[in-house]
Amino acid sequence: MYAILDIESTGGKYNEEGIMEIAIHKFDGHKVVDQFICLINPEREIQPFVAKLTGINNTMLRSAPKFHEVAKRIVEITEGTVLVAHNAQFDYRILRTEFRRLGYDFQRKTLCTVDLSKQLIPDAESHSLGKLARSLGIPMSDRHRANGDALATLKLFKLLLAKDSDKKIMTEVIREETHGELSPTQLDMVTSLPSSTGVYYLHDKDGEIIFIGKSKDIKKRVNQHFTTVSNQARKLQKITKRVSYEATGSELLAILKEYQEQKRNRPKLNNVPKKKLFSHTIDFSLNGSAHIVLKIKNDKELSENKMGFSSPSSAHNFLNKITSEFELCSCSFDTKKECIEESGAIEICNEKVNTAFEKYSLEGKNIALLDQGRETGERSFILIKNGQLQGFGFVELNHQINNIHILESIMTPMQGDENTKFIIESYLRKNNRLKSIPLTN
């Protein structure tokens, strides 16, 4: 649990500043579950440059509550949380100073989004909140007011959590928390999980990830781990001390994240594939003849003009699909038959085959695949550049989504390889609800 915090102080000498506005958004890693936004009478004068910067003046604060009147609420909303702020050292110091004046030792763990952004977005021109938000397309309002900056920090933190492919933020926070033993039924661990699409992580007592999975219903799938009687399930039930998750909205994105994060983290209870995910291919090239002849081959190389399949039957099903969809003739599958009945017949057949390949292949494409987001008003995107997976991200519905440079600035990078190409093409062959947006520079 996190408390996204921003404080506006009066300015002045070190450790003599006072809090004049505070905003706290309690965030469970997925949604805001509580919030506290308040002007505070600092009982001291505001420095002129601060008043000019924030628009807050002494007159506005005369009727505002004093810090001791809101201190209990701040303690309650931050209890059991990690404080997250942009330049957390400053906000935490000011907050502790105010509590120290009341004779209370306020202590919380902290995370700084300046430090996190330097690690996860090292190439940013600036890591100040305003410039970083602009470069990432994060909307900002009420700049230099506590709630405006807190909301921008919240959106930045959500983006950083998505970019944290190694799950260092999540693991460190969990490692430092106090862990209790599992409940007798082990069902208490799934009560807070959502019945939505995403990736889930099972952690041991040290916070280490021991299993990564994906599901269209996270709660149902994790519950199955705790209620089945297989050898694998027994191991998970014995070792798991915590379950965390990352909602994706998109099933395809969940499949890609599961593959990439299993490959990167190699959890000890996952059977991580070390080989190609496909076993057969269909070659859509001419292969030295005038006619494109489609044949299923036992092949594990996805070179140019090839598509991969997990089995001969799935390859046959695809050929039947495109034969019906594009009205392919039998000569596209049999070298003994040729289109000689009329002039240009071979070219017509080849054009149909190429059209089928263009529709279902990623080769050479610069596109964004749009799907459901994690919440209402949001879409997920998967970025493909020159036919290769580049990364993923989330945008609001009114966000410009056809500019490749904007998407590259806000995306979380993913390593594309033959397996990710196979995963995406396989999914597109079976699902036609994803929207493909051609990208411009």
Side-chain angles (χ1 to χ4, degrees):
M1 191 71 73
Y2 308 95
I4 314 299
L5 168 74
D6 189 79
I7 286 172
E8 299 300 331
S9 74
T10 59
K13 292 182 180 180
Y14 185 82
N15 274 358
E16 292 184 8
E17 311 101 318
I19 295 176
M20 61 181 188
E21 189 176 35
I22 188 169
I24 303 172
H25 294 266
K26 193 171 184 178
F27 178 59
D28 66 2
H30 309 280
K31 62 182 181 299
V32 173
V33 296
D34 195 4
Q35 64 181 21
F36 176 65
I37 304 160
C38 187
L39 286 169
I40 296 174
N41 184 343
E43 301 183 88
R44 65 199 69 215
E45 290 297 307
I46 303 171
Q47 296 296 307
F49 79 92
V50 174
K52 184 176 180 180
L53 180 69
T54 63
I56 301 173
N57 56 50
N58 292 305
T59 304
M60 292 170 60
L61 301 179
R62 284 175 187 163
S63 60
K66 297 174 182 178
F67 185 79
H68 71 85
E69 297 177 90
V70 299
K72 182 180 179 182
R73 174 68 171 133
I74 294 172
V75 171
E76 290 173 345
I77 195 172
T78 62
E79 187 73 37
T81 70
V82 177
L83 295 185
V84 179
H86 206 70
N87 191 9
Q89 183 179 9
F90 171 80
D91 294 81
Y92 187 48
R93 176 181 66 80
I94 298 292
L95 195 55
R96 290 201 72 194
T97 298
E98 287 281 19
F99 275 108
R100 200 177 294 117
R101 291 169 184 152
L102 300 178
Y104 181 80
D105 185 20
F106 180 83
Q107 293 190 36
R108 299 288 186 268
K109 297 181 179 68
T110 63
L111 281 173
C112 179
T113 50
V114 175
D115 295 338
L116 292 175
S117 62
K118 286 179 178 178
Q119 295 175 35
L120 297 170
I121 316 175
D123 298 329
E125 182 179 344
S126 170
H127 292 92
S128 70
L129 182 60
K131 291 181 179 179
L132 194 58
R134 278 195 299 273
S135 68
L136 297 172
I138 295 173
M140 290 194 72
S141 60
D142 293 330
R143 184 75 176 98
H144 299 299
R145 291 294 299 268
N147 194 44
D149 287 357
L151 286 172
T153 302
L154 172 61
K155 291 179 180 180
L156 172 62
F157 186 57
K158 290 172 74 173
L159 189 148
L160 292 171
L161 283 174
K163 281 184 174 289
D164 183 26
S165 301
D166 293 331
K167 299 298 171 228
K168 290 181 181 178
I169 299 173
M170 181 192 301
T171 301
E172 286 302 316
V173 169
I174 290 173
R175 181 177 288 130
E176 292 177 359
E177 291 178 351
T178 302
H179 295 277
E181 291 301 312
L182 295 179
S183 63
T185 61
Q186 299 176 330
L187 296 179
D188 289 344
M189 298 180 71
V190 302
T191 55
S192 62
L193 296 176
S195 298
S196 57
T197 302
V199 181
Y200 58 90
Y201 310 85
L202 306 187
H203 304 261
D204 64 14
K205 60 183 177 61
D206 297 318
E208 296 298 330
I209 299 172
I210 58 172
F211 186 88
I212 298 174
K214 58 92 177 62
S215 178
K216 293 171 70 175
D217 187 332
I218 295 174
K219 177 179 285 189
K220 181 178 179 181
R221 184 70 188 99
V222 174
N223 186 62
Q224 289 171 345
H225 287 307
F226 292 151
T227 54
T228 54
V229 293
S230 67
N231 290 334
Q232 172 81 335
R234 288 194 188 98
K235 290 178 183 177
L236 291 174
Q237 292 159 16
K238 182 178 180 180
I239 301 175
T240 302
K241 303 298 180 186
R242 175 71 178 263
V243 182
S244 60
Y245 70 94
E246 184 173 347
T248 62
S250 163
E251 181 185 17
L252 174 57
L253 179 52
I255 296 169
L256 287 168
K257 284 184 68 65
E258 179 195 43
Y259 163 72
Q260 297 237 319
E261 295 190 5
Q262 283 184 0
K263 184 179 178 182
R264 180 183 295 108
N265 293 285
R266 297 210 164 276
K268 61 184 179 182
L269 294 183
N270 275 112
N271 295 318
V272 181
K274 298 180 180 180
K275 55 183 181 179
K276 305 287 177 66
L277 299 179
F278 55 93
S279 58
H280 292 73
T281 64
I282 297 176
D283 193 339
F284 283 74
S285 60
L286 287 172
N287 288 320
S289 64
H291 205 301
I292 299 175
V293 179
L294 303 176
K295 286 187 174 183
I296 300 169
K297 295 182 179 180
N298 191 335
D299 182 13
K300 294 186 178 181
E301 295 297 328
L302 277 186
S303 55
E304 189 176 357
N305 292 323
K306 286 185 179 181
M307 296 182 73
F309 299 85
S310 59
S311 66
S313 61
S314 64
H316 277 296
N317 290 338
F318 178 67
L319 289 180
N320 290 335
K321 176 185 176 75
I322 62 174
T323 297
S324 173
E325 184 177 354
F326 298 94
E327 298 180 348
L328 302 183
C329 62
S330 60
C331 55
S332 297
F333 308 98
D334 190 345
T335 55
K336 295 180 181 179
K337 295 183 178 180
E338 293 186 2
C339 295
I340 57 175
E341 290 81 2
E342 57 183 276
S343 176
I346 291 178
E347 287 77 9
I348 293 172
C349 281
N350 287 348
E351 185 177 344
K352 290 180 178 180
V353 172
N354 286 328
T355 302
F357 181 73
E358 167 66 20
K359 178 176 179 178
Y360 291 105
S361 170
L362 297 180
E363 194 164 302
K365 290 182 178 178
N366 293 320
I367 56 173
L369 296 173
L370 296 186
D371 202 353
Q372 295 176 338
R374 299 162 296 186
E375 56 194 33
T376 303
E378 181 183 74
R379 301 292 297 273
S380 64
F381 71 85
I382 295 170
L383 183 63
I384 310 295
K385 188 175 180 180
N386 296 324
Q388 289 293 322
L389 172 67
Q390 300 295 307
F392 73 94
F394 300 92
V395 294
E396 296 179 2
L397 289 181
N398 60 354
H399 199 285
Q400 185 180 2
I401 54 177
N402 65 340
N403 187 306
I404 195 168
H405 298 302
I406 291 177
L407 296 185
E408 284 178 327
S409 71
I410 64 176
M411 77 174 185
T412 300
M414 294 183 103
Q415 185 65 45
D417 57 25
E418 288 184 326
N419 281 340
T420 58
K421 184 174 184 288
F422 163 72
I423 289 170
I424 297 170
E425 290 183 344
S426 296
Y427 192 87
L428 294 178
R429 291 195 291 261
K430 299 172 186 175
N431 298 270
N432 57 11
R433 63 180 182 81
L434 269 67
K435 188 175 182 181
S436 177
I437 303 293
L439 297 177
T440 59
N441 290 325

